[in-house]
């Protein structure tokens, strides 16, 4: 095969850009694919530096078939996010093996741009954006290098930087002014949400304590007024009815409605939630939401549900009524479900509950007795609870006495049901932390919580938090205070500087989310209204885009023109003279001196020879002579003006 | 002569008339007969004669690199006679020692003292013939004398006569038994020129004409030593305007930036370029330097100092300079 003739240094720059685009993918590519790509990469570098031959067509074709086969074996498909990106990385690395001509350079360059883009399938944070901007910069420098083979890479990097600076304003204008369309046109591939953390649709011992290890943000809240005190911040998520002794499940399909009838007892709270995508349909709200946001429903157990799974960051306004009475609408079938429990397990708890029912008789008294039982039981709060056997409730309540919120709520609801009081489990988040930098409240996965609701005929469903009863610190001060050793590092409160740093970083991330990632038609309207444009149509946005981009390009062009415009008036007149002669067919080469050019022009146009000599002589006098005066410039100008070849 | 490769350097002399009201530079009228008469000895080589004179006026030394028999010695002799300089010719050989050039101190039995016998370097115009046949040690003795305009022998420094001008000749270096001057030594020569074969008409005139030696011996000096010194001094007064200096800088910077050359031109080369261009302008009878003057001397200044990277077939100095000239626009 022919040895490569591409300049090794330029190729190295291009490969560096490609490596930057591919490197973040190593985190999620299968090991064999990363290793193959790395080997091909190094091989190409060796080919270029040592002047080795490129591999034969047979080798590349075989390797391509193997790559596709490997992709299919790993993912069972070549479509979707992971399989697609893996295939792209592999084929791009293989394409390097037939990098011979300028045309293939272009293919690789533009695929590198695309590969840089695919990183946003995995992460849309500021660091990713910065890294990808840098990647595009390096790839661009490589592209320039192949188009200007005589320039050194340093100069190419400078050119790429200048291009970037010039493109920056245009990019921003396009971003902010391009008419936005609502809808799933550029949604994420289906498999992009395989690993997101969040509440799940079942609850068993350990499921929430596992979540508590994560400081990932679940959602952010902006309160219109002062936020309610922490012990009232119960963000409702999925509700569970069915218990098989180990796992709690929802009570069948959610029954949806457009709103809940209830009686408000106190002032409402207004707030806006920015929910991180979690690929489930439930949305979080304080109890009980009044009017629902568009395209949402509420289930009969008061869970706010989106019509579609939430796959992009979502913003919605709510008004909640924290004190309420909702006595209507309890179906007897639901009450029956809220009383069921597996009979064969947890005999001790069943005995205790039946004892309460026998001695106390009334639901409210039983509830108070249970609360008292938990408060005085000396229970411990831990993220690493001991493993429990088949009678998990018994073991927790009477033996180990250590657990997390799912143990408390599960044990409590079991006791209630065994005593004949309808009860259910509610999961969600409790608390949240105010970021003093931007005034947003941040709720993290570590704030995940489980509590209980009991049905008291005259008061409807009443929230009881068994964890708060046993461990008041959990609700009053938050998870980090209640279990300081096991909270995620960034949530520990003792490291003040770390906390400030985190608050600032969070606030920046929030701004980014709100204004860059969450820049939707609403935001666009909001932004345009700052400039005094109310409800712009897409036509007026397009016009604004056209004129603003046009004027930016115009300003840059004027600036460049001014920089290259010759300052010396003599030189300007001379260049005008050269242009006149150029139109007459006597073109001055850029390296031709005035006297030589004059002599040549005079020879070509013998009848104008005197004028040409006069102009050339005067120009030389003015530009290269010792004492030129202003009047001579005017004379030169009039000579040139009068000159017609 | 490379007629095809110098399209706009030599041609304009005859065509361009300066403004009649401008005073012609006095010095040019003195030097014109020298050029004219030298051209009768070395036929069809006016350009080379002018370059050699420009180099002399700019107080630089000249290296002529060409095949034997094209008139290197004749040119040197003719210049020496026409300028009224005393002239020594040193034929370099491989067994030559520095003392053979500089001179020796010999013990004088009558006076009981060492008496210095000056070597052939003590002359105003030296023709160092076939300088690349001498050993590096001997070469450097000459080059030091060129640089310092003085020689030091046994602790005593002796000035060389003024003006002091060396024309060294060198055969193309791929001949057997030569020590080609290294690049650092080449830089000591302000200019290197090639003479080249005469064209058809010039050769015919040469064959039909009188014996060269007779013509040279008939030549009469046209300049007094003082006049030559004055000419050399007036080179400095030739005006180089800022745009012209921009041009010199652009040329030099291009050689340093461009990947086409192994090394760029040194600041000394830049100074030589400007100074030679001044001398060339003076020979043209101008009181200011124009870009054409720079272009005229550029092959002589840059040819031996620049080595193109892709130098498969050793390109001639004029080709190298033409490439350089073409790639740098005149500001």
């Amino acid at each position: 095969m022919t040895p490569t003739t591409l300049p090794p240094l330029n190729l190295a720059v291009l490969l560096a850009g490609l490596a930057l685009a591919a490197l973040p993918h190593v985190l999620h590519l299968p090991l064999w694919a990363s290793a193959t790509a790395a080997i091909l990469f190094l091989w190409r570098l060796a080919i270029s530096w040592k002047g080795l031959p490129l591999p034969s067509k047979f080798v590349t074709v075989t390797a391509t078939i193997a790559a596709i086969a490997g992709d299919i074996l790993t993912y069972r498909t070549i479509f979707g996010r992971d399989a697609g990106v893996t295939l792209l990385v592999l084929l791009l690395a293989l394409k390097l093996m037939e990098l011979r001509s300028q045309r293939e350079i272009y293919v690789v360059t533009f695929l590198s741009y695309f590969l840089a883009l695919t990183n946003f399938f995995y992460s849309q944070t500021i660091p990713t954006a910065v890294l990808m901007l840098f990647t595009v910069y390096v790839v661009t420098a490589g592209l320039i290098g192949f188009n200007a083979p005589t320039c050194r890479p340093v100069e190419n990097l400078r050119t790429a930087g200048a291009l970037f600076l010039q493109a920056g304003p245009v990019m921003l204008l396009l971003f902010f002014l391009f008419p936005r369309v609502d809808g799933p046109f550029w949604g994420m591939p289906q498999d992009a949400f395989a690993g997101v953390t969040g509440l799940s649709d079942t609850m068993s011992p350990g499921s929430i304590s596992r979540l508590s290890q994560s400081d990932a943000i679940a959602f952010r809240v902006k309160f219109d007024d002062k936020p309610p005190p922490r012990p009232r911040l119960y963000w409702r998520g999925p509700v569970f009815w069915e218990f098989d002794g180990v796992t709690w499940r929802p009570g069948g399909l959610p029954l949806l409605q457009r709103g809940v009838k209830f009686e408000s007892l106190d002032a409402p709270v207004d707030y806006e939630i920015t929910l991180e995508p979690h690929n489930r349909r439930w949305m979080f709200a304080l109890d009980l939401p009044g009017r629902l946001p568009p395209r949402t429903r509420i289930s009969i157990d008061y869970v706010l549900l989106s019509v579609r799974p939430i796959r992009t960051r979502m913003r919605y306004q709510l008004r909640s009524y924290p004190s309420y009475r909702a006595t209507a609408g309890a179906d007897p079938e639901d009450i029956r479900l809220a009383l069921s429990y597996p009979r064969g397990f947890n005999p001790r708890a069943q005995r205790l509950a039946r004892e309460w029912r026998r001695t106390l008789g009334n639901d409210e008294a039983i509830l108070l007795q249970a609360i008292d039982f938990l408060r005085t039981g000396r229970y411990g709060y831990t993220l690493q609870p001991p493993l429990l056997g088949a009678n998990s409730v018994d073991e927790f309540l009477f033996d180990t006495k250590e657990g997390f919120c799912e143990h408390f709520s599960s044990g409590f609801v079991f006791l209630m049901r065994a005593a004949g009081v309808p009860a259910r489990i509610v999961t969600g988040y409790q608390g949240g932390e105010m970021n003093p930098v931007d005034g947003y409240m941040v709720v993290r996965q570590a704030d995940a919580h489980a509590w209980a609701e009991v049905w008291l005929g005259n008061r409807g469903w009443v929230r009881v938090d068994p964890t708060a009863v046993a461990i008041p610190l959990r609700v009053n001060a938050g998870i980090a205070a209640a279990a300081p050793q096991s909270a995620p590092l960034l949530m520990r409160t003792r490291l003040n500087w770390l906390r400030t740093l985190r608050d600032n970083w969070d606030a920046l991330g929030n701004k980014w989310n709100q204004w860059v990632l969450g820049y939707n038609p609403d935001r666009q309207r909001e932004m345009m209204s700052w400039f005094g444009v109310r409800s712009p149509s897409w036509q007026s946005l397009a016009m604004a885009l056209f004129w603003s981009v046009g004027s930016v390009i115009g300003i840059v062009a004027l600036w460049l023109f001014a920089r290259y415009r010759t300052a010396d008036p003599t030189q300007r007149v001379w260049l005008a003279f050269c242009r006149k002669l150029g139109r007459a067919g006597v073109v001055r080469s850029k390296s031709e001196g005035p006297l030589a050019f004059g002599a040549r022009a005079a020879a070509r146009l013998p009848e104008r020879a005197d004028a040409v000599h006069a102009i050339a002589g005067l120009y030389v006098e003015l530009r290269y002579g010792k004492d030129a005066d202003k009047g001579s410039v005017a004379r030169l100008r009039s000579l040139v003006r009068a000159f017609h070849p | 002569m490379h007629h095809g490769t110098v399209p706009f350097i030599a041609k304009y002399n005859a065509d361009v008339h300066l403004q009649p009201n401008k005073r012609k530079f006095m010095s040019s009228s003195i030097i014109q007969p020298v050029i004219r008469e030298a051209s009768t000895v070395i036929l069809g080589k006016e350009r080379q004669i002018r370059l050699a004179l420009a180099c002399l006026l700019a107080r630089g030394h000249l290296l002529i690199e060409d095949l034997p028999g094209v008139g290197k010695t004749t040119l040197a002799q003719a210049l020496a006679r026409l300028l009224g300089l005393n002239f020594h010719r040193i034929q370099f050989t491989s067994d030559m020692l520095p003392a053979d050039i500089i001179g020796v101190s010999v013990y004088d039995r009558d006076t009981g003292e060492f008496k210095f016998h000056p070597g052939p370097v003590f002359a105003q115009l030296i023709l160092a013939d076939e300088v690349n046949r001498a050993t590096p040690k001997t070469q450097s003795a000459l080059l030091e004398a060129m640089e310092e305009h003085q020689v030091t022998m046994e602790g005593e420094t002796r000035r060389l006569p003024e003006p002091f001008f060396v024309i060294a000749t060198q055969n193309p270096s791929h001949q057997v038994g030569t020590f080609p001057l290294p690049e650092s030594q080449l830089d000591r020569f302000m200019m290197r020129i090639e003479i080249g074969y005469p064209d058809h008409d010039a050769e015919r005139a040469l064959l039909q004409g009188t014996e060269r030696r007779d013509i040279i011996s008939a030549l009469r000096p046209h300049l007094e030593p003082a006049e030559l010194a004055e000419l050399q001094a007036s080179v400095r007064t030739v005006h180089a305007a800022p745009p012209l200096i921009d041009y010199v800088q652009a040329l030099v910077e291009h050689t340093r930036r461009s990947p086409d050359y192994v090394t760029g031109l040194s600041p000394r080369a830049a100074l030589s370029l400007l100074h030679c261009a001044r001398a060339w302008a003076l020979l043209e009878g101008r009181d200011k330097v124009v870009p054409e003057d720079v272009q005229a001397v550029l092959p002589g200044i840059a040819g031996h100092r620049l080595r193109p990277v892709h130098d498969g077939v050793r390109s001639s100095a004029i080709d190298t300079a033409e490439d350089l000239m073409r790639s740098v626009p005149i500001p």
Side-chain angles (χ1 to χ4, degrees):
Chain A
M1 289 278 107
T2 51
T4 168
T5 51
L6 298 169
L9 216 52
N10 284 335
L11 193 67
V13 174
L14 181 62
L15 287 184
L18 181 54
L20 280 172
L23 218 52
H25 284 309
V26 173
L27 295 174
H28 36 256
L29 285 188
L31 190 63
W32 65 268
S34 305
T36 310
I39 289 169
L40 289 171
F41 229 81
L42 296 176
W43 187 6
R44 189 63 184 84
L45 273 180
I47 286 173
S48 147
W49 285 107
K50 305 254 157 136
L52 304 176
L54 288 165
S56 70
K57 200 100 197 157
F58 175 76
V59 173
T60 50
V61 169
T62 315
T64 307
I65 293 170
I68 295 171
D71 199 41
I72 291 175
L73 280 176
T74 310
Y75 296 105
R76 310 274 152 211
T77 173
I78 55 167
F79 301 111
R81 180 185 65 165
D82 292 340
V85 168
T86 307
L87 196 60
L88 181 63
V89 170
L90 285 172
L91 292 189
L92 199 42
L94 279 167
K95 183 74 198 166
L96 297 179
M97 293 297 122
E98 46 179 30
L99 210 56
R100 286 190 187 84
S101 64
Q102 200 84 349
R103 194 187 72 84
E104 280 134 356
I105 292 288
Y106 290 139
V107 172
V108 169
T109 306
F110 289 110
L111 282 178
S112 301
Y113 285 134
F114 184 68
L115 187 63
L117 196 65
T118 59
N119 280 299
F120 293 114
F121 287 154
Y122 294 92
S123 160
Q124 303 178 1
T125 57
I126 297 175
T128 309
V130 169
L131 180 62
M132 286 311 116
L133 272 180
F134 182 65
T135 305
V136 169
Y137 167 68
V138 175
V139 174
T140 307
L143 182 62
I144 293 170
F146 280 103
N147 283 292
T150 57
C151 293
R152 287 175 305 158
V154 183
E155 289 177 80
N156 298 335
L157 285 171
R158 207 175 303 140
T159 311
L163 283 178
F164 249 65
L165 288 183
Q166 287 163 10
V170 176
M171 178 191 81
L172 289 178
L173 284 170
L174 283 174
F175 179 81
F176 284 112
L177 292 180
F178 194 86
R180 297 281 160 150
V181 186
D182 249 332
F185 287 119
W186 35 75
M188 297 280 269
Q190 288 293 319
D191 59 348
F193 295 92
V196 285
T197 49
L199 292 174
S200 79
D201 52 6
T202 62
M203 188 188 89
S204 48
S207 61
I208 290 185
S209 47
R210 244 193 328 276
L211 212 50
S212 294
Q213 314 281 354
S214 161
D215 63 353
I217 288 168
F219 52 90
R220 290 183 171 88
V221 193
K222 181 95 178 163
F223 288 98
D224 289 7
D225 297 316
K226 223 167 76 70
R230 180 187 271 277
R232 299 187 71 172
L233 293 172
Y234 281 87
W235 309 97
R236 179 184 283 260
V239 176
F240 300 122
W241 299 75
E242 272 181 21
F243 185 50
D244 62 3
V246 180
T247 306
W248 286 90
R249 295 175 204 285
L253 291 170
L255 268 171
L256 299 180
Q257 46 194 352
R258 285 182 184 278
V260 189
K261 285 200 178 64
F262 62 88
E263 185 189 337
S264 170
L265 304 175
D266 203 354
V269 183
D270 290 304
Y271 54 100
E272 184 190 71
I273 289 188
T274 309
L275 180 59
E276 298 292 313
H278 57 98
N279 205 26
R280 308 282 190 171
R281 290 174 53 198
W282 52 74
M283 297 150 71
F284 300 93
L286 290 175
D287 290 334
L288 262 179
R291 265 191 56 198
L292 304 185
R295 290 187 299 280
T296 49
R297 298 286 183 274
I298 192 162
S299 69
I300 53 155
D301 40 18
Y302 311 150
V303 183
L304 206 57
L305 288 163
S306 160
V307 173
R308 261 189 287 277
I310 295 157
R311 296 214 172 102
T312 53
R313 196 169 284 104
M314 182 182 187
R315 198 164 30 226
Y316 52 93
Q317 268 97 21
L318 283 175
R319 163 174 287 193
S320 284
Y321 298 87
S323 301
Y324 60 92
R325 191 203 300 270
T327 49
D331 194 284
E333 196 61 23
D334 292 336
I335 298 296
R336 216 170 50 73
L337 194 56
L339 284 169
S340 67
Y341 58 95
R343 305 277 158 172
F345 300 105
N346 307 315
R348 280 193 280 175
Q350 288 189 39
R351 242 191 336 270
L352 177 66
R354 276 196 290 274
E355 173 72 20
W356 288 346
R357 169 55 71 186
R358 205 167 47 76
T359 53
L360 300 167
N362 135 2
D363 282 4
E364 265 177 75
I366 293 171
L367 176 60
L368 290 176
Q369 175 63 41
I371 287 173
D372 201 48
F373 174 78
L374 285 175
R375 181 161 43 222
T376 57
R378 294 205 200 144
Y379 286 93
Y381 191 68
T382 173
L383 283 173
Q384 284 96 28
L387 280 176
L388 301 177
N391 296 316
S392 59
V393 173
D394 270 5
E395 285 168 40
F396 165 68
L397 284 178
F398 303 108
D399 302 334
T400 64
K401 291 199 167 191
E402 269 202 328
F404 200 59
C405 56
E406 63 259 43
H407 301 89
F408 286 97
S409 56
S410 174
F412 176 79
V413 170
F414 187 88
L415 280 172
M416 284 294 103
R417 288 182 174 189
V421 184
R424 62 191 184 190
I425 294 223
V426 184
T427 57
Y429 298 89
Q430 205 288 319
E433 200 180 347
M434 213 61 197
N435 186 338
V437 179
D438 59 357
Y440 273 80
M441 175 174 278
V442 180
V443 179
R444 294 168 192 277
Q445 296 299 346
D447 294 316
H449 193 48
W451 58 93
E453 280 181 338
V454 292
W455 172 262
L456 300 174
N458 56 338
R459 288 170 57 188
W461 288 103
V462 175
R463 178 170 63 226
V464 180
D465 188 348
T467 317
V469 169
I471 321 286
L473 202 59
R474 164 66 183 89
V475 173
N476 291 328
I479 170 83
Q485 292 320 307
S486 40
L489 178 70
L490 282 176
M491 291 188 70
R492 295 183 197 170
T493 43
R494 253 176 287 156
L495 302 165
N496 254 328
W497 61 270
L498 195 61
R499 202 186 155 86
T500 316
L501 195 70
R502 190 204 60 187
D503 283 344
N504 279 295
W505 179 245
D506 271 355
L508 186 67
N510 187 32
K511 277 269 178 302
W512 172 257
N513 290 343
Q514 301 284 341
W515 281 103
V516 179
L517 300 181
Y519 190 75
N520 57 12
D522 295 336
R523 280 283 185 217
Q524 193 168 42
R525 267 192 292 278
E526 192 181 328
M527 167 125 157
M528 291 306 283
S529 71
W530 292 352
F531 295 105
V533 186
R534 303 250 168 261
S535 61
S537 64
W538 68 265
Q539 288 96 332
S540 56
L541 276 174
M543 285 307 279
L545 188 63
F546 177 81
W547 285 113
S548 53
V549 170
S551 44
V552 164
I553 293 173
I555 287 167
V556 171
L558 274 179
W559 178 67
L560 289 178
F561 182 72
R563 248 187 39 175
Y564 288 111
R565 194 180 145 87
T566 329
D568 182 5
T570 312
Q571 184 70 357
R572 277 212 296 279
V573 177
W574 168 252
L575 290 177
F577 172 67
C578 292
R579 277 195 296 276
K580 275 189 174 179
L581 277 174
R583 280 195 292 276
V586 192
V587 181
R588 188 180 82 98
S589 98
K590 285 208 178 299
S591 57
E592 195 171 10
L595 293 176
F597 177 61
R600 197 160 63 84
R604 279 282 298 276
L605 309 161
E607 68 279 14
R608 317 285 308 134
D610 289 346
V612 170
H613 282 314
I615 289 170
L618 186 54
Y619 165 70
V620 164
E621 209 49 57
L622 284 168
R623 183 135 172 103
Y624 299 106
K626 201 178 264 178
D627 9 66
D629 54 285
K630 282 256 158 61
S632 305
V633 181
R635 199 154 64 82
L636 180 66
R637 190 172 290 128
S638 66
L639 276 177
V640 169
R641 206 166 283 158
F643 179 80
H644 297 291
Chain B
M1 164 130 179
H2 303 261
H3 267 299
T5 53
V6 280
F8 44 73
I9 292 173
K11 251 196 288 179
Y12 66 90
N13 298 331
D15 307 336
V16 178
H17 313 291
L18 288 162
Q19 297 293 303
N21 57 347
K22 284 280 166 187
R23 180 179 66 98
K24 265 220 166 182
F25 224 44
M26 81 86 191
S27 324
S28 71
S29 52
I30 302 181
I31 203 81
Q32 294 312 322
V34 175
I35 299 170
R36 207 165 43 240
E37 289 222 25
S39 299
T40 63
V41 185
I42 311 131
L43 299 166
K45 297 292 171 194
E46 192 187 322
R47 202 179 111 74
Q48 281 76 355
I49 295 165
R50 280 172 178 272
L51 283 172
L53 275 173
C55 187
L56 170 64
L57 292 183
R59 295 179 204 266
H61 302 286
L62 179 69
L63 178 66
I64 306 178
E65 185 172 290
D66 220 322
L67 298 166
V70 291
K72 293 177 298 229
T73 313
T74 314
L75 174 63
Q77 281 179 330
L79 284 180
R81 289 197 76 89
L82 287 166
L83 297 173
L85 303 174
N86 65 39
F87 171 70
H88 278 163
R89 178 168 181 274
I90 313 172
Q91 175 63 50
F92 279 68
T93 58
S94 56
D95 56 357
M96 209 171 207
L97 294 172
D100 295 332
I101 300 170
I102 294 168
V104 280
S105 291
V106 179
Y107 182 69
D108 189 331
R109 210 177 300 170
D110 299 339
T111 58
E113 281 174 347
F114 281 94
K115 188 167 186 296
F116 182 68
H117 293 261
V121 80
F122 287 88
Q124 288 169 315
L125 201 159
I126 311 287
L127 175 64
D129 223 354
E130 296 186 89
V131 71
N132 58 336
R133 286 182 59 190
T135 55
K137 191 176 179 181
T138 312
Q139 288 173 355
S140 56
L142 173 72
L143 292 164
E144 266 178 55
M146 281 163 52
E147 187 75 6
E148 311 288 338
H149 282 218
Q150 65 187 26
V151 291
T152 303
M153 192 80 184
E154 285 145 20
E156 205 176 327
T157 300
R158 292 184 173 82
R159 296 289 308 171
L160 291 170
E162 281 296 329
F164 179 68
F165 182 45
V166 174
I167 300 180
T169 74
Q170 172 167 268
N171 292 334
S173 45
H174 41 74
Q175 292 191 339
V176 180
T178 57
F179 302 93
L181 291 174
E183 273 162 45
S184 58
Q185 308 276 38
L186 281 177
D187 198 40
R188 305 278 177 86
F189 291 96
M190 185 177 263
M191 220 188 244
R192 186 193 68 175
I193 62 171
E194 290 154 26
I195 292 185
Y197 297 121
D199 61 20
H200 181 81
D201 294 345
E203 186 135 39
R204 188 152 193 103
L206 174 73
L207 294 173
Q208 285 176 335
T210 340
E211 178 76 15
R212 295 297 109 182
R213 207 169 300 159
D214 298 342
I215 303 180
I216 289 174
S217 55
L219 290 175
R220 288 285 155 259
H222 283 268
L223 288 182
E224 295 293 315
E227 283 176 317
L228 183 60
E230 193 190 336
L231 265 179
Q232 285 183 327
S234 61
V235 166
R236 295 194 180 282
T237 67
V238 176
H239 181 62
L244 192 278
I245 293 179
D246 286 345
Y247 183 46
V248 170
Q249 278 196 294
L251 285 167
V252 172
E253 277 163 10
H254 178 81
T255 65
R256 294 173 190 165
R257 222 179 27 234
S258 161
D260 296 346
Y261 306 105
V262 179
T263 50
L265 289 176
S266 63
R268 173 156 57 184
L271 280 169
S272 299
L273 181 58
L274 184 59
H275 207 55
C276 266
R278 280 190 163 118
W280 185 271
L282 185 79
L283 291 177
E284 296 291 334
R286 261 195 299 275
D287 58 353
K288 58 194 158 298
V289 191
V290 296
E292 284 89 337
D293 300 326
V294 178
Q295 293 176 343
V297 297
L298 186 64
I301 302 284
H304 60 298
R305 292 176 162 109
L306 279 182
R307 194 146 50 85
V309 171
H310 308 292
D311 203 5
V313 198
R314 252 185 88 93
S315 47
S316 78
I318 292 193
D319 288 343
T320 309
E322 273 285 313
D323 286 345
L324 171 57
M325 223 182 305
R326 268 183 220 295
S327 30
V328 180
I330 297 171

